[in-house]
Amino acid sequence: MGLHPLEFSECYLDSPSFREKIKAHEAELDKTNRFIKELYKDGKNLINATKQLGMAQRKFAQCLGEFQFEYIGDAKTDDERCIDESLQEFSSFLKNLEEQRELMMKNITETLMKPLEKFRKEQLGTVRAERKRYEKETEKYYSSLEKLLNMSAKKKEPQLQEADIQVEAMRQQFQGESLDYVCKLQEIQERKKFECVEPMLAFFQTVFTFYHQGYELAKDFDHYKTELQINIQNTRSRFEGARSEVFELMKRIREAPQEYRQTSPISCEGYLYVQEKRPPPFGSSWVKRYCTFVKEQKILHMVTFDHRSGGKIGETESITLKSCLRKTTDMLDRRFCLDLDITDRPGTVLTVQALSEDDHKFWMQAMGGKEPIGQYLGRTFSKDRGIDAQLDDVGLNFVKNSISAIETRGINDQGLYRVVGVSSKVQKLLSLMIDEKSNEVDLSASEDWDVKTITSALKLYLRSLPEPLMTYGLYKEFISPAKGGSPESRIQAVHCLVHKLPERNRQVLGLLMKHLANVVAHSKQNLMTVANLGVVFGPTLMRPQEETVAAIMDLKFQNIVVEILIEHHGKIFADAPESCPLSPAAPVFSAPTRQSKKLGRQNRPLAVYNPQALDIQNVSAVADCSSLTTEETSMGSNESVSSQSSSASASETPIEKTDHPPLSSSLSSGSNSRSPTGPEPAPRASGESQPAATTAASEKEKPEETVTSRKAKAVYPCEAEHDSELSFQVGAIFNAVTQSREPGWLEGELEGKRGLIPENYVEML
């Protein structure tokens, strides 16, 4: 496992583990800084000490061979692996040159020394300055926070308000500095891979240019150099795409941090000041602790952590909560306080203090606290509906129509699919084409819509589907082979997974891949190689439900999967594979968990959707479409490996911020009240509020062995989260059970009420 990704949401929690992750990143950059310094020193020795050339070469080669890049995430791409191994390759080349003792060390100052030193001073030096600002803001914020919390509640309201405003400003400044610092750390970690290796590559080319007797060796090196240039170019392109996604995620978290506060199954976590009572006459003291509250078990874990003492973590103390009550200021001269009644200490009441009024309400709601006055109403969040794109006959016709028009009118256009259309025109075209009443336009013959508008509308349609074309359920399975294995095993794995897709998804994906292969066949004219199209369509065709930095780091593997689909579309989509590698998920599709702002589920099995479990036909799920961002800019890099540099800019406002859209938010409204003993139900469409009735057409297609009149028995208890769902206990009998249009759900009657039932909560009778 490499370095842990630094999630922006953790900047708002500022947990001890988050600080440890930051330390690991800082240590890695310090190591890189020391490596570059040493490499620079050794390079100077090579220039100034020609007589000691052999010794200097061996030292330099050793330095290269011993260093390895750390990576973020759990796997590396082939390009990153080649970049990581390049240092060892360079070391080997140097040893061969040392045997000949005629290496010419000239002109390396401009090609190696200056770029490395520039990177060290401008990039690594910037990180050092950011670290100092971050540490300074940490000290300022927590000092001002303690001062605020120690203020008497009896002070005049204007004084309290002024103090609150000052601390809030410092908090925002601290969190903003934290976001910037975390972003910079990860950017440098990714940037160094090509910023360090490219100057070395140029250095070796210079060495061979001036090496009179090394012509044959330089000739052998040329092939490796070309391959490495492609590796670097691919890594750079993926870096640019991932960086734009990270900035977008950081921007959204900065605008609404509360929506991204929860990123784990833990119910609630953050800092609390705990009152520790001492024997008279010492009174009591308030100690800052990082608290983690597990809602289902009602256990509060507390660990002492002081940011100003070098980040030393104390021992963890755990208590079981019985009840929680807000403590008023007339009982204690401090604001934001709670009284916790502890089960494992009968008669003991623990007083804690939150950091602010919002934080106080947050803890109250998480712990089920009682308000002496009024009642706190939790916020609800809803997602606006975007373009109503569906994977139906209308959508299929639009895909065919668009492909026909693109191949007829613009297959040779430079930057095809990278040059984007005007936002208003693209949305207008897509709305027109998915409208059943007005979708008869032949785009091949119509001159009203230019090619870039059609390509952008096609990508927008694919991104606006309720679920990605390659599905949420198979996302991890598609990503897995891209992270390792031989080329043959990758192709075989992708081949098998494609034939696990629903029929309509596979049909549309096959049409698209055949078309993209045709685009690649004209790459000399349109400059769109397989790698370029992988960058464009990777995040469009597949993405995870949860939006995190770790997920963004997987963008590079999405691109690899799309490249495999394009290059081997004939084999993959022709016939189903004769045999597939065995995997635990082979018999069924793993349904993704329903995301909720109250993440209280722990250690329970995920729901699975097995179309063969009941003798019925699959019915398409109904889901809300993702909303479209109205103002987007084109991707920062239009470079093609084949052309080295080919940029295309749109003269009008583009529709896309990058060629791979932002990942959809993993948060949904409502609280989690699902029973802790049952499995996780399949996800439901966010806008669905009524039971989804089976259509008449679908009823006609069902075989005679329908489940219309069958009964089912509950094997797990369940509490409804929506009016359209049923609440029930173990042993409840459901009548008139039918399959819902939502995968993983059934419809049935219980005590005269009809509603939705999680399929994996019941067994058929």
Side-chain angles (χ1 to χ4, degrees):
M1 180 65 183
L3 296 173
H4 291 281
L6 299 175
E7 300 294 349
F8 292 122
S9 58
E10 293 189 81
C11 294
Y12 293 84
L13 294 175
D14 199 21
S15 66
S17 61
F18 174 62
R19 289 293 180 132
E20 290 298 319
K21 295 177 185 177
I22 288 181
K23 281 186 177 181
H25 280 260
E26 291 172 345
E28 170 58 20
L29 290 183
D30 289 339
K31 184 176 71 171
T32 304
N33 185 60
R34 292 192 299 270
F35 161 71
I36 294 178
K37 279 186 175 181
E38 177 126 2
L39 196 61
Y40 185 83
K41 177 182 177 181
D42 294 338
K44 293 292 291 184
N45 289 337
L46 290 175
I47 297 174
N48 300 327
T50 307
K51 293 181 180 181
Q52 301 177 356
L53 180 59
M55 184 185 300
Q57 282 180 320
R58 294 180 187 278
K59 181 68 170 62
F60 192 67
Q62 181 181 1
C63 184
L64 289 177
E66 291 179 352
F67 183 80
Q68 288 185 338
F69 291 114
E70 292 290 347
Y71 59 94
I72 298 177
D74 58 357
K76 295 181 286 189
T77 64
D78 290 342
D79 294 316
E80 291 174 326
R81 193 174 292 109
C82 290
I83 289 177
D84 292 342
E85 295 171 355
S86 64
L87 299 184
Q88 285 72 34
E89 292 291 336
F90 294 154
S91 178
S92 177
F93 284 136
L94 271 179
K95 291 176 182 178
N96 292 334
L97 290 173
E98 168 58 19
E99 293 175 357
Q100 302 177 39
R101 295 183 180 277
E102 295 183 21
L103 181 65
M104 300 298 294
M105 301 298 295
K106 295 181 180 180
N107 300 329
I108 66 170
T109 300
E110 295 295 328
T111 59
L112 176 66
M113 313 306 290
K114 288 185 178 180
L116 285 178
E117 186 68 2
K118 180 180 179 182
F119 173 76
R120 188 182 70 84
K121 290 182 177 180
E122 295 183 0
Q123 301 298 333
L124 299 181
T126 301
V127 173
R128 287 176 176 268
E130 288 282 348
R131 184 194 301 186
K132 291 181 180 179
R133 286 197 295 271
Y134 179 60
E135 293 172 350
K136 182 178 179 182
E137 290 299 328
T138 299
E139 174 66 24
K140 286 175 58 180
Y141 169 63
Y142 284 105
S143 296
S144 62
L145 179 61
E146 290 185 2
K147 184 177 179 181
L148 171 70
L149 296 176
N150 287 324
M151 288 183 64
S152 172
K154 295 180 180 179
K155 287 185 177 290
K156 294 182 180 181
E157 186 63 26
Q159 290 179 312
L160 295 175
Q161 291 179 356
E162 182 179 358
D164 289 345
I165 291 173
Q166 290 177 352
V167 172
E168 177 64 19
M170 290 183 182
R171 181 186 66 80
Q172 292 180 0
Q173 185 174 352
F174 164 67
Q175 292 174 347
E177 186 64 32
S178 180
L179 287 170
D180 293 337
Y181 183 49
V182 164
C183 183
K184 191 65 176 178
L185 278 177
Q186 298 189 114
E187 177 183 341
I188 299 302
Q189 294 284 16
E190 291 293 296
R191 181 187 292 275
K192 67 182 182 183
K193 296 178 183 178
F194 51 84
E195 291 283 4
C196 291
V197 175
E198 274 188 317
M200 297 175 198
L201 185 62
F203 159 72
F204 277 90
Q205 185 59 43
T206 302
V207 167
F208 287 129
T209 302
F210 289 94
Y211 186 47
H212 178 67
Q213 296 182 355
Y215 173 74
E216 292 298 327
L217 186 57
K219 187 176 181 181
D220 295 337
F221 177 78
D222 192 61
H223 176 72
Y224 177 77
K225 180 198 70 173
T226 303
E227 292 296 325
L228 188 56
Q229 282 179 326
I230 296 174
N231 298 141
I232 293 172
Q233 175 63 30
N234 291 342
T235 303
R236 184 192 294 275
S237 298
R238 290 163 182 154
F239 163 77
E240 294 293 343
R243 183 175 65 169
S244 63
E245 293 288 341
V246 169
F247 279 132
E248 281 298 310
L249 177 59
M250 181 177 69
K251 179 181 177 182
R252 289 193 293 275
I253 291 181
R254 192 193 298 271
E255 293 172 350
Q258 290 298 327
E259 293 187 36
Y260 294 85
R261 181 167 185 174
Q262 299 288 344
T263 58
S264 70
I266 297 171
S267 174
C268 179
E269 56 182 317
Y271 283 100
L272 288 173
Y273 279 78
V274 181
Q275 185 183 34
E276 294 188 353
K277 298 180 180 179
R278 300 177 180 177
F282 300 104
S284 62
S285 62
W286 294 83
V287 180
K288 182 179 67 177
R289 293 190 173 185
Y290 191 82
C291 300
T292 300
F293 179 67
V294 183
K295 186 174 181 180
E296 292 182 357
Q297 288 81 20
K298 287 195 171 183
I299 296 177
L300 182 67
H301 304 285
M302 301 182 294
V303 57
T304 304
F305 182 77
D306 192 350
H307 295 83
R308 296 170 298 182
S309 62
K312 183 177 181 181
I313 303 176
E315 295 183 358
T316 300
E317 179 184 359
S318 300
I319 59 175
T320 303
L321 187 67
K322 182 178 181 181
S323 64
C324 173
L325 181 67
R326 183 174 70 87
K327 199 175 187 71
T328 58
T329 54
D330 56 353
M331 301 174 62
L332 180 65
D333 191 18
R334 293 174 77 99
R335 299 184 297 165
F336 320 138
C337 290
L338 301 168
D339 276 344
L340 308 181
D341 191 0
I342 303 172
T343 301
D344 37 14
R345 299 180 192 172
T348 302
V349 175
L350 185 66
T351 302
V352 298
Q353 184 180 23
L355 306 185
S356 64
E357 183 63 30
D358 285 342
D359 196 46
H360 176 260
K361 292 178 180 179
F362 178 74
W363 284 105
M364 281 282 292
Q365 188 179 29
M367 295 182 178
K370 297 180 181 178
E371 279 278 6
I373 302 176
Q375 183 178 1
Y376 173 65
L377 298 177
R379 299 188 183 96
T380 58
F381 299 88
S382 61
K383 183 187 287 187
D384 297 333
R385 285 183 64 89
I387 294 177
D388 188 19
Q390 298 293 334
L391 201 61
D392 51 14
D393 291 339
V394 175
L396 178 61
N397 290 335
F398 169 61
V399 173
K400 293 179 178 179
N401 197 347
S402 300
I403 290 175
S404 175
I406 295 167
E407 294 189 347
T408 302
R409 299 167 49 194
I411 195 68
N412 293 322
D413 289 1
Q414 286 193 7
L416 187 65
Y417 283 109
R418 274 202 169 179
V419 179
V420 296
V422 181
S423 175
S424 57
K425 291 183 179 180
V426 172
Q427 294 186 64
K428 182 178 179 181
L429 173 60
L430 182 56
S431 299
L432 176 69
M433 296 305 295
I434 63 176
D435 186 352
E436 296 183 4
K437 299 180 181 179
S438 57
N439 63 352
E440 300 299 329
V441 178
D442 184 1
L443 297 176
S444 301
S446 175
E447 297 295 333
D448 297 335
W449 309 99
D450 54 25
V451 173
K452 65 181 180 181
T453 301
I454 299 174
T455 57
S456 297
L458 178 57
K459 290 186 292 182
L460 176 58
Y461 165 76
L462 295 172
R463 289 198 301 271
S464 300
L465 293 173
E467 185 178 29
L469 195 61
M470 297 171 71
T471 73
Y472 290 129
L474 291 176
Y475 174 79
K476 290 186 177 179
E477 294 187 55
F478 271 113
I479 287 292
S480 181
K483 292 183 176 181
S486 64
E488 294 75 16
S489 64
R490 290 181 177 182
I491 297 170
Q492 182 184 12
V494 173
H495 189 184
C496 293
L497 291 171
V498 164
H499 288 271
K500 287 185 179 182
L501 291 170
E503 178 63 29
R504 179 55 60 87
N505 295 57
R506 186 168 66 252
Q507 181 184 6
V508 174
L509 186 64
L511 288 173
L512 185 62
M513 292 303 109
K514 182 179 179 181
H515 162 62
L516 295 182
N518 191 19
V519 173
V520 173
H522 294 77
S523 60
K524 288 186 178 180
Q525 292 77 32
N526 58 41
L527 307 180
M528 293 303 292
T529 62
V530 172
N532 292 342
L533 291 174
V535 172
V536 173
F537 281 93
T540 300
L541 300 176
M542 55 188 304
R543 61 182 181 272
Q545 280 190 305
E546 188 174 0
E547 183 179 22
T548 63
V549 172
I552 293 175
M553 292 301 172
D554 277 346
L555 287 176
K556 50 197 174 188
F557 299 111
Q558 299 173 15
N559 305 344
I560 293 173
V561 174
V562 175
E563 291 173 18
I564 292 173
L565 290 173
I566 295 174
E567 291 179 326
H568 304 279
H569 73 281
K571 173 183 177 181
I572 291 175
F573 293 94
D575 300 301
E578 296 180 359
S579 62
C580 291
L582 296 177
S583 65
V588 294
F589 291 100
S590 296
T593 59
R594 180 194 308 191
Q595 301 297 322
S596 175
K597 298 184 77 63
K598 302 283 185 178
L599 300 176
R601 304 185 180 100
Q602 280 191 319
N603 300 326
R604 70 177 70 171
L606 295 177
V608 293
Y609 174 48
N610 187 351
Q612 286 76 36
L614 302 175
D615 297 326
I616 57 176
Q617 296 290 331
N618 290 330
V619 190
S620 299
V622 178
D624 284 338
C625 299
S626 302
S627 57
L628 172 68
T629 305
T630 56
E631 293 184 9
E632 298 175 326
T633 58
S634 61
M635 184 175 182
S637 172
N638 279 337
E639 293 182 343
S640 168
V641 173
S642 60
S643 63
Q644 298 301 321
S645 177
S646 60
S647 57
S649 60
S651 59
E652 301 168 291
T653 304
I655 185 175
E656 303 174 38
K657 185 140 195 176
T658 67
D659 285 318
H660 33 77
L663 302 175
S664 61
S665 175
S666 65
L667 298 174
S668 61
S669 61
S671 62
N672 175 16
S673 57
R674 187 66 58 192
S675 165
T677 59
E680 184 70 30
R684 295 205 33 230
S686 59
E688 195 76 32
S689 60
Q690 298 296 332
T694 307
T695 62
S698 298
E699 289 290 347
K700 292 180 181 180
E701 295 176 0
K702 290 184 178 180
E704 294 180 359
E705 293 83 358
T706 179
V707 295
T708 303
S709 59
R710 296 186 65 177
K711 294 184 178 182
K713 179 181 178 181
V715 293
Y716 296 105
C718 177
E719 184 177 346
E721 294 184 4
H722 303 281
D723 293 338
S724 59
E725 300 175 14
L726 295 177
S727 296
F728 50 85
Q729 298 298 323
V730 176
I733 303 299
F734 303 94
N735 297 315
V737 177
T738 61
Q739 183 73 17
S740 170
R741 292 197 311 180
E742 298 190 52
W745 292 80
L746 303 173
E747 291 182 31
E749 292 182 1
L750 178 65
E751 298 178 355
K753 181 181 178 181
R754 187 168 184 82
L756 292 173
I757 311 163
E759 184 174 0
N760 53 328
Y761 273 58
V762 300
E763 62 180 6
M764 301 306 298
L765 300 178

